[in-house]
Each structure stands twice: as structure tokens, then as C-alpha cells.
């Protein structure tokens, strides 16, 4: 599908007198972008304390599980353990769901910034087409604008944060 889209785009652009194509490594640009780094730092700051609490709860739950496994555990101890286990599972599931939502928000931010930066870069440098290296079967090294795109993405992010 990607190749078909690229072929259609390239065919459409061939009608133009001159076509200038740039390619960049999307994964490299994303991983080296300030928007991703800042997003990951914010996630760490928000979720590390919750993970620490969950880990402590898990350790406490294991200790209680060992006590309940003993032959002399009362019915009340077993019931308390099951309630704590249920509560822990709910907290762990909520933590995972919240973490996934936060990561998705950061990924969307990264995508939006990269798209805006690619448009700006293409306009500034006169490119008619900018592609991810994954979409190109072959390209000359001179077409690779990955380093420039990293700079452009970080500049775009700074301007969007204002």
C-alpha cells in the first residue's frame, strides 16, 4: 500500500517541471526530538511515584499471600487478602491504562510536530515531496535530510510551546 501511494504521488509530481525530494528517518527524528524527550520526562515524573506505590503494594500482597497460605490462616485473613488482591489488581490495571493514554498523547504530539516541521522545512528549502526513508526503496544519500529535520522538529516544538 505504501509503495502504491508513493508511486501515485511520484507519478502525479512527475508532471511538474522539476521535483525535489527529500527523505528522512522518521524513527531517528522522533527519538531525537525534544518533544519526545520532554514527554517521556513528564510521564516518568507522573508515573514513577505511582509505580513505586504499586511495587510496595505488590510486595505487601506477597507477604500476605504467604501468611494466608499457611494452614492456620483464618477465614477473615483470607477474605482480607482477597479484597486487597482485588484492590491491587484494579490499581494496576488503572495504572497501565493511564500510562498507555499518556504515551499515546505524547506520540500524537510528536507526530503533529513532525508533520508541521516537514511542511515548514519543505517550503523553506523548496522540496516538492518529503518522505520517510521506510517509504523509499532506494534514494541517494544526498536526498537524506534527517539531521536537518531533527533541527527543524526541535525548532517547531519550541515555537509551538510558546
Amino acid at each position: 500500500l505504501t509503495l502504491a501511494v508513493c508511486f501515485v504521488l511520484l507519478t502525479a509530481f512527475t508532471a511538474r517541471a522539476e521535483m525535489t525530494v527529500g527523505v528522512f528517518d522518521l524513527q531517528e527524528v522522533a527519538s531525537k526530538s525534544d518533544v519526545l524527550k520532554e514527554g517521556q520526562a513528564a510521564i516518568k515524573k507522573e508515573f514513577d511515584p505511582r509505580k513505586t506505590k504499586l511495587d510496595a503494594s505488590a510486595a505487601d500482597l506477597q507477604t500476605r499471600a504467604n501468611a494466608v497460605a499457611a494452614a492456620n490462616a483464618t477465614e477473615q485473613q483470607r477474605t482480607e487478602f482477597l479484597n486487597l488482591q482485588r484492590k491491587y489488581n484494579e490499581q494496576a490495571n488503572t495504572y497501565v491504562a493511564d500510562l498507555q493514554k499518556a504515551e499515546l498523547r505524547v506520540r500524537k504530539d510528536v507526530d503533529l510536530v513532525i508533520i508541521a516541521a516537514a511542511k515548514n522545512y519543505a517550503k523553506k528549502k523548496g522540496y516538492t515531496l518529503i518522505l520517510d526513508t521506510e517509504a523509499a526503496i532506494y534514494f541517494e544519500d544526498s536526498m537524506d535530510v534527517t539531521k536537518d529535520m531533527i533541527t527543524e522538529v526541535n525548532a517547531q516544538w519550541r515555537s509551538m510551546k510558546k
Side-chain angles (χ1 to χ4, degrees):
L1 180 63
T2 302
L3 290 176
V5 170
C6 288
F7 178 75
V8 169
L9 288 172
L10 288 173
T11 303
F13 282 116
T14 306
R16 288 185 161 192
E18 188 177 317
M19 183 169 73
T20 310
V21 179
V23 294
F24 71 99
D25 184 333
L26 179 61
Q27 295 303 316
E28 182 179 347
V29 170
S31 69
K32 292 181 177 178
S33 70
D34 292 340
V35 60
L36 180 64
K37 291 173 187 174
E38 289 175 22
Q40 288 173 329
I43 287 173
K44 184 172 176 50
K45 182 178 179 182
E46 179 181 349
F47 286 89
D48 276 2
R50 286 176 64 182
K51 174 114 174 60
T52 300
K53 280 179 86 172
L54 271 176
D55 290 346
S57 293
D60 180 51
L61 200 57
Q62 185 60 48
T63 301
R64 289 177 187 254
N66 293 339
V68 169
N72 59 352
T74 66
E75 188 60 36
Q76 181 181 359
Q77 288 173 319
R78 289 186 182 132
T79 302
E80 286 175 5
F81 170 75
L82 290 174
N83 288 335
L84 286 172
Q85 186 178 37
R86 199 173 2 256
K87 182 179 177 183
Y88 171 79
N89 288 338
E90 289 171 4
Q91 290 172 339
N93 289 338
T94 300
Y95 171 83
V96 169
D98 291 348
L99 180 59
Q100 288 173 340
K101 286 177 191 173
E103 289 171 341
L104 182 60
R105 278 192 308 272
V106 169
R107 186 67 215 170
K108 284 182 179 180
D109 287 347
V110 170
D111 290 346
L112 290 172
V113 172
I114 289 175
I115 290 167
K119 288 178 182 177
N120 289 341
Y121 183 78
K123 287 178 185 176
K124 283 195 293 190
K125 300 293 184 173
Y127 285 95
T128 52
L129 182 64
I130 301 281
L131 295 172
D132 176 10
T133 55
E134 294 293 318
I137 295 172
Y138 170 79
F139 59 90
E140 294 180 16
D141 289 343
S142 63
M143 298 171 77
D144 190 343
V145 296
T146 301
K147 289 179 182 170
D148 291 343
M149 278 297 298
I150 293 168
T151 302
E152 187 70 29
V153 165
N154 290 335
Q156 181 71 37
W157 175 239
R158 284 190 300 276
S159 72
M160 291 173 81
K161 284 188 349 178
K162 292 180 182 178

